[in-house]
Amino acid sequence: MKIPPVKGTRDFYPLDMARRNWIIDGWKRVSLRNGFEEYDGPIFEYLKMFQLKSGDEIAEQLFSLTDRGGRELALRPEITPTMARMMNQQINSLPKPIKWFSVPRLFRAERPQRGRLREFFQWNVDIIGVDDVLADAEIIFTTIDYLSSVGLTPRDIRVKISNRKLLASALTNIGIPEKQLYSLYALLDKYNRIPPDVFEKTLAEQVPDSAPAKKIVDFMNTTTLSEVPEIVGKDPEVDTAMQELASLKDLLEQMGVWQFCDFYPSIVRGLAYYTGVVFEVHAVGGELRAVGGGGRYDNLLQDFGGPSIAATGMGMGDCVLGILLEERNLIPEDLSTQQLDYFIASADKKYFPKVIEITAKLRRTGKAANFAYKPTGLSKQLKQASVQGAKKCIIIGSEIESGKLVVKDMATGEQKTTELDNLLK
Amino acid sequence: MKIPPVKGTRDFYPLDMARRNWIIDGWKRVSLRNGFEEYDGPIFEYLKMFQLKSGDEIAEQLFSLTDRGGRELALRPEITPTMARMMNQQINSLPKPIKWFSVPRLFRAERPQRGRLREFFQWNVDIIGVDDVLADAEIIFTTIDYLSSVGLTPRDIRVKISNRKLLASALTNIGIPEKQLYSLYALLDKYNRIPPDVFEKTLAEQVPDSAPAKKIVDFMNTTTLSEVPEIVGKDPEVDTAMQELASLKDLLEQMGVWQFCDFYPSIVRGLAYYTGVVFEVHAVGGELRAVGGGGRYDNLLQDFGGPSIAATGMGMGDCVLGILLEERNLIPEDLSTQQLDYFIASADKKYFPKVIEITAKLRRTGKAANFAYKPTGLSKQLKQASVQGAKKCIIIGSEIESGKLVVKDMATGEQKTTELDNLLK
């Protein structure tokens, strides 16, 4: 009986796994050097937790399940609600500021397409308790620190930065009622992903008057920050948003990464919970979705029953990133699935028990070692050593009677005789 | 709105995460040094895949879900079916023997109890394509290699070994029809976990005659291999099974780990798919469930639509293991959630931009570095450096005007002045 895998999921054969580990290890290394601590939560939570704040697009894509007690659960589509829940549970004992990272496996019941799978990994970094654009800058720096560490340059990727406060002010000044803002964010977030006529038609449904609708389109088309006050009108909220963005630029310059960044007023982010600086990382050229994105979400912990506390963070999935790194030839070609220090061969079948004994001893001293299950001819064993990428091959022959063996360097071909005891030290 | 976590799942706060990483990194390190390559599959598969061969206990505990297309899926309760599916897909191109390991996250919808959660991690090692007890020996060696690498001794754990062929012969010779064997295995597997009177009552339902029922109980009570033929009768199957166990012992002696092992004829393993050597690792004393277990399953790939090919493997969960390691004080106390090379402090607020610049530069050279978001007094910053476990603290003061700074060793308290350029090299 042959059963296929489920569409939108991935099988990680050893080489795929090496690639996945390479990406995830990079995320972890950069998180740690930027001072973040790792955490994780369960794969499933109560369904209602994700319906609370995730935004319509994510809530529609939940994989839900019911347990034997009739509880409605869901596979996590993002980790931020879990993080908020966990922090709220221990908010008084956790030293502030909190800098946490995670690489959760996430699930979205959407139609699989290029760069979008139903099961994927997402790097998350978050800073809680810093009510200062410096934390937003550090989140953006950490994001760029990873992307540049794998070889992406300002010519490959752009970090497009805006402030949710700008958009909120723009829409409010135009006369959009507050309760309509969230559904409009969801539409505006799709601005660059849907055809212009579809966008304008959908916008007309939400904003029937043509004057405010035109202002919204003008705002979405701006790529110069200084033009924004002209379009949206001047007010204290707009001033604050503009000042935050100016400080953010200064900080990113001090950090030496501004050359990766642009202001981009039309950046929205689909999630309902953002409150301040927002950003997305896009590949230059091509049709890829955002590589990652994030922003400030100062109300989220409170929304989940905790205190009012400042928060900012970023998420980056492995699917779009993987495609981008492949396109730019940035995935190392020599990723290996095995790193054998030794392959242990026998010059004669009768030494096979010695092969087993010495392999076991080497492993217990911490060396990676392998051997052939069938004591075949030596040249066949040497070939197997080479296929498995062993650094050295130990050949056990008559010398073993006096506690010696031959060690062959697989790169140089050089052979020398060594004492077994020295090898095991 | 406060939403609790789901019962039987775990939140991994940074210290819990450090502990989880310590266990999983150990599993990975030992797998690699024993020559295994890492793989993984999806978290969910078609429901029917797990109903096929997992044995009743697991099939009853599936978390099932339905996707938007009405497909019946399940969260994986074990990874072996996925492995069989993946291997069958590429069986012709994978070089044999195949030595694979994985550390999947698994799910069972059972009632949470000590050592049994609804979500857990399980180390799996498998060798495919070796029709020789040597592969079973290597699986058992690898299991013990990990357990002894974390400090468990033969006085802490015992590997209890039997052969499914012995049990099959015993039951067949007693007159149990073949179609009844699997349901009987499931009962016998619980022999040491349910009260004797409950066991005998349930056994009487399956085997009403008292003579064969008594023989079964005698067999389950044997702890001496040599007594087995007397109880179950002599036949070629029993001989083969006995010979396999004798060879296994020889090999485990050559590997230097037999002192951890005992023959234990009553070891059954619940899963339906075992065909030869089976084993379980148990803690000495106490009431813990098996730490891990496994065995030979030569028919599984064929059952999943692939070729007939020899296979043997082992699984070990993180829950019982975690409890055991805690009980024996074997979890390192100094597991850290952060490893900062530097904490960057300023002697005066006016150097704060320099703090930001130098922190960013150090991080980009690969050093783990952190700083205080608010430029407070120096002693407060030094305290923060110490709380975060920084190895060194860099103090930026007036020397920076000439490109110099003070580096304080946090362990010795020693301070010296260094060129910034040297630090960034």
Side-chain angles (χ1 to χ4, degrees):
Chain A
M1 178 166 194
K2 238 176 185 145
I3 295 170
V6 179
K7 246 174 73 173
T9 66
R10 283 175 288 182
D11 289 338
F12 295 92
Y13 287 88
L15 257 178
D16 310 312
M17 193 72 202
R19 206 189 90 145
R20 167 177 142 187
N21 283 338
W22 177 76
I23 288 179
I24 290 179
D25 290 348
W27 286 343
K28 291 193 177 192
R29 191 183 59 245
V30 167
S31 301
L32 290 170
R33 82 187 187 200
N34 279 272
F36 292 84
E37 297 174 281
E38 191 175 5
Y39 75 100
D40 191 13
I43 290 273
F44 52 77
E45 300 262 9
Y46 283 102
L47 174 63
K48 61 184 172 192
M49 200 175 92
F50 299 116
Q51 292 170 326
L52 201 61
K53 270 282 152 184
S54 294
D56 291 343
E57 197 175 331
I58 285 185
E60 279 163 19
Q61 296 166 349
L62 287 169
F63 272 111
S64 57
L65 61 155
T66 309
D67 76 359
R68 260 131 242 263
R71 282 168 280 260
E72 289 199 298
L73 312 176
L75 301 189
R76 60 186 181 193
E78 53 167 340
I79 201 168
T80 311
T82 299
M83 189 201 72
R85 177 179 66 64
M86 285 173 61
M87 283 192 180
N88 282 340
Q89 280 167 193
Q90 303 199 356
I91 197 67
N92 294 322
S93 59
L94 290 167
K96 261 69 72 185
I98 305 168
K99 290 177 70 174
W100 275 9
F101 83 96
S102 193
V103 185
R105 203 162 180 160
L106 304 178
F107 305 87
R108 295 190 188 167
E110 60 185 333
R111 214 229 282 275
Q113 45 188 293
R114 190 161 179 258
R116 304 271 269 197
L117 293 173
R118 305 214 283 178
E119 181 184 32
F120 58 100
F121 292 87
Q122 189 185 66
W123 178 35
N124 283 258
V125 289
D126 290 276
I127 300 175
I128 312 298
V130 184
D131 182 19
D132 189 318
V133 79
L134 174 54
D136 304 294
E138 203 181 11
I139 292 288
I140 292 173
F141 172 82
T142 303
T143 308
I144 297 171
D145 190 17
Y146 170 72
L147 294 168
S148 67
S149 78
V150 291
L152 291 163
T153 71
R155 270 174 296 190
D156 297 305
I157 47 154
R158 304 305 302 169
V159 181
K160 299 180 177 178
I161 300 173
S162 187
N163 193 327
R164 185 58 83 82
K165 287 174 193 160
L166 267 191
L167 182 61
S169 301
L171 297 176
T172 307
N173 291 350
I174 285 163
I176 307 294
E178 208 188 319
K179 63 178 165 43
Q180 206 187 320
L181 289 181
Y182 291 121
S183 65
L184 212 45
Y185 290 159
L187 171 63
L188 298 182
D189 184 48
K190 295 197 189 100
Y191 183 65
N192 291 305
R193 300 205 305 267
I194 60 179
D197 55 325
V198 177
F199 176 81
E200 281 180 32
K201 203 173 144 246
T202 321
L203 181 62
E205 284 162 18
Q206 292 204 35
V207 184
D209 283 1
S210 65
K214 187 184 173 303
K215 277 206 169 181
I216 292 174
V217 173
D218 285 349
F219 178 82
M220 295 304 286
N221 283 331
T222 323
T223 53
T224 315
L225 192 65
S226 56
E227 287 173 17
V228 169
E230 270 168 57
I231 302 169
V232 306
K234 270 187 160 267
D235 70 14
E237 270 285 287
V238 172
D239 283 350
T240 307
M242 299 286 286
Q243 271 162 26
E244 283 179 7
L245 290 175
S247 306
L248 183 63
K249 184 182 178 198
D250 286 347
L251 289 164
L252 291 169
E253 277 173 347
Q254 283 165 27
M255 292 174 174
V257 293
W258 177 254
Q259 70 273 22
F260 283 89
C261 306
D262 302 300
F263 288 126
Y264 227 86
S266 66
I267 289 296
V268 178
R269 304 294 293 152
L271 294 176
Y273 52 62
Y274 290 112
T275 56
V277 168
V278 285
F279 69 96
E280 282 182 4
V281 183
H282 287 267
V284 175
E287 297 294 313
L288 285 177
R289 283 161 179 275
V291 177
R296 182 161 284 278
Y297 54 97
D298 286 343
N299 299 330
L300 192 71
L301 267 68
Q302 196 167 26
D303 291 340
F304 280 93
S308 167
I309 191 165
T312 182
M314 185 279 304
M316 178 187 298
D318 70 327
C319 299
V320 174
L321 176 70
I323 294 171
L324 174 63
L325 294 176
E326 224 158 60
E327 277 181 5
R328 311 280 152 121
N329 283 318
L330 291 172
I331 298 178
E333 275 170 27
D334 58 349
L335 286 178
S336 67
T337 59
Q338 277 188 319
Q339 296 103 33
L340 288 186
D341 298 304
Y342 294 104
F343 191 94
I344 295 89
S346 57
D348 188 296
K349 231 191 327 225
K350 72 176 169 191
Y351 300 117
F352 195 54
K354 275 282 166 197
V355 167
I356 292 171
E357 180 195 322
I358 292 168
T359 302
K361 281 185 173 157
L362 282 167
R363 288 171 175 173
R364 298 193 80 186
T365 66
K367 298 294 183 200
N370 234 352
F371 66 101
Y373 290 105
K374 296 244 182 286
T376 52
L378 186 57
S379 66
K380 225 171 165 179
Q381 294 176 70
L382 282 167
K383 201 178 155 199
Q384 215 176 329
S386 157
V387 166
Q388 296 187 13
K391 288 182 206 131
K392 290 176 178 174
C393 188
I394 290 173
I395 301 161
I396 298 177
S398 55
E399 312 85 351
I400 196 67
E401 322 278 2
S402 51
K404 294 198 174 95
L405 32 72
V406 173
V407 180
K408 181 185 167 104
D409 186 304
M410 296 297 283
T412 64
E414 196 192 332
Q415 291 197 9
K416 59 177 183 185
T417 303
T418 313
E419 301 267 343
L420 173 60
D421 288 347
N422 283 337
L423 208 68
L424 295 176
K425 252 178 214 158
Chain B
M1 179 168 193
K2 235 174 187 147
I3 295 169
V6 180
K7 246 174 72 170
T9 67
R10 283 175 288 180
D11 289 339
F12 294 93
Y13 287 87
L15 257 177
D16 310 312
M17 193 72 200
R19 203 189 91 146
R20 166 177 142 187
N21 282 338
W22 176 76
I23 288 177
I24 290 179
D25 291 348
W27 285 342
K28 291 193 176 192
R29 191 183 59 245
V30 167
S31 301
L32 290 169
R33 82 187 187 199
N34 280 273
F36 292 85
E37 296 175 283
E38 191 175 5
Y39 76 99
D40 191 13
I43 289 274
F44 52 77
E45 301 262 8
Y46 283 102
L47 175 62
K48 62 185 169 190
M49 200 177 91
F50 299 116
Q51 292 171 326
L52 202 59
K53 270 284 152 182
S54 294
D56 291 343
E57 195 175 332
I58 286 185
E60 279 164 20
Q61 295 167 348
L62 287 169
F63 271 111
S64 57
L65 61 156
T66 309
D67 76 359
R68 260 130 242 263
R71 282 169 280 261
E72 290 200 297
L73 312 175
L75 301 188
R76 61 186 179 190
E78 54 166 343
I79 202 168
T80 312
T82 299
M83 188 201 72
R85 177 181 64 66
M86 286 173 60
M87 284 191 181
N88 281 341
Q89 280 167 193
Q90 301 199 357
I91 197 67
N92 294 322
S93 59
L94 290 168
K96 260 67 75 184
I98 305 168
K99 289 177 71 174
W100 276 9
F101 84 95
S102 192
V103 185
R105 203 163 179 159
L106 304 178
F107 305 88
R108 294 189 189 168
E110 60 184 331
R111 214 228 284 272
Q113 45 186 295
R114 188 160 182 258
R116 302 271 269 199
L117 293 172
R118 305 214 282 179
E119 183 184 30
F120 58 99
F121 293 87
Q122 189 185 67
W123 178 35
N124 283 258
V125 289
D126 291 276
I127 301 174
I128 313 298
V130 184
D131 182 18
D132 189 318
V133 79
L134 174 54
D136 304 293
E138 204 181 10
I139 292 289
I140 293 173
F141 173 82
T142 303
T143 308
I144 296 172
D145 190 18
Y146 169 73
L147 294 169
S148 66
S149 78
V150 292
L152 291 164
T153 70
R155 269 174 297 189
D156 298 305
I157 47 154
R158 304 304 303 169
V159 180
K160 298 179 178 179
I161 300 171
S162 186
N163 194 327
R164 186 57 85 80
K165 287 174 193 160
L166 268 190
L167 182 62
S169 300
L171 297 176
T172 308
N173 291 351
I174 286 164
I176 308 293
E178 208 188 317
K179 66 175 163 45
Q180 205 188 320
L181 289 181
Y182 291 119
S183 64
L184 211 45
Y185 291 159
L187 171 64
L188 297 183
D189 184 47
K190 295 196 189 101
Y191 182 64
N192 291 305
R193 302 205 305 268
I194 57 179
D197 56 323
V198 177
F199 176 81
E200 280 181 33
K201 204 173 142 245
T202 321
L203 181 62
E205 284 161 18
Q206 292 203 37
V207 185
D209 283 2
S210 65
K214 186 183 175 303
K215 276 206 171 182
I216 292 175
V217 173
D218 285 349
F219 177 82
M220 294 304 286
N221 283 331
T222 321
T223 52
T224 314
L225 192 65
S226 57
E227 288 173 17
V228 169
E230 269 169 58
I231 301 168
V232 306
K234 271 185 158 270
D235 70 15
E237 270 285 286
V238 173
D239 283 350
T240 307
M242 299 287 285
Q243 270 161 29
E244 283 179 6
L245 291 175
S247 307
L248 184 63
K249 185 182 178 199
D250 286 347
L251 289 163
L252 290 169
E253 276 173 348
Q254 282 164 29
M255 292 174 172
V257 293
W258 177 254
Q259 71 274 24
F260 283 89
C261 306
D262 302 299
F263 288 126
Y264 226 86
S266 65
I267 290 295
V268 177
R269 304 293 295 151
L271 295 174
Y273 50 62
Y274 289 113
T275 56
V277 167
V278 285
F279 69 96
E280 283 182 2
V281 183
H282 287 266
V284 174
E287 296 295 313
L288 286 176
R289 284 162 178 275
V291 177
R296 182 162 283 278
Y297 54 96
D298 287 344
N299 298 331
L300 192 71
L301 267 69
Q302 197 167 26
D303 290 339
F304 280 92
S308 167
I309 190 165
T312 181
M314 185 279 305
M316 178 187 300
D318 70 327
C319 299
V320 173
L321 176 70
I323 295 170
L324 174 63
L325 294 175
E326 224 158 60
E327 278 181 2
R328 311 281 153 122
N329 284 316
L330 290 172
I331 298 178
E333 275 170 27
D334 59 347
L335 286 179
S336 67
T337 60
Q338 277 189 320
Q339 296 104 32
L340 288 185
D341 298 305
Y342 294 104
F343 191 94
I344 295 88
S346 57
D348 187 297
K349 215 167 14 192
K350 71 177 169 189
Y351 300 118
F352 195 54
K354 276 282 167 198
V355 168
I356 291 171
E357 181 195 321
I358 292 168
T359 303
K361 281 185 175 158
L362 282 167
R363 287 170 176 174
R364 296 192 82 186
T365 65
K367 298 293 182 200
N370 233 352
F371 65 101
Y373 290 105
K374 297 243 182 284
T376 53
L378 185 58
S379 65
K380 225 168 166 184
Q381 293 176 70
L382 283 167
K383 201 178 156 200
Q384 215 175 328
S386 155
V387 167
Q388 296 187 14
K391 285 181 209 134
K392 289 175 178 174
C393 188
I394 290 173
I395 300 161
I396 299 177
S398 54
E399 310 86 348
I400 196 67
E401 321 279 2
S402 51
K404 293 196 173 101
L405 32 73
V406 174
V407 180
K408 181 186 167 102
D409 187 305
M410 296 298 284
T412 64
E414 196 191 330
Q415 291 197 7
K416 58 177 185 185
T417 303
T418 313
E419 301 266 342
L420 173 59
D421 287 347
N422 283 338
L423 207 67
L424 295 176
K425 251 177 213 156

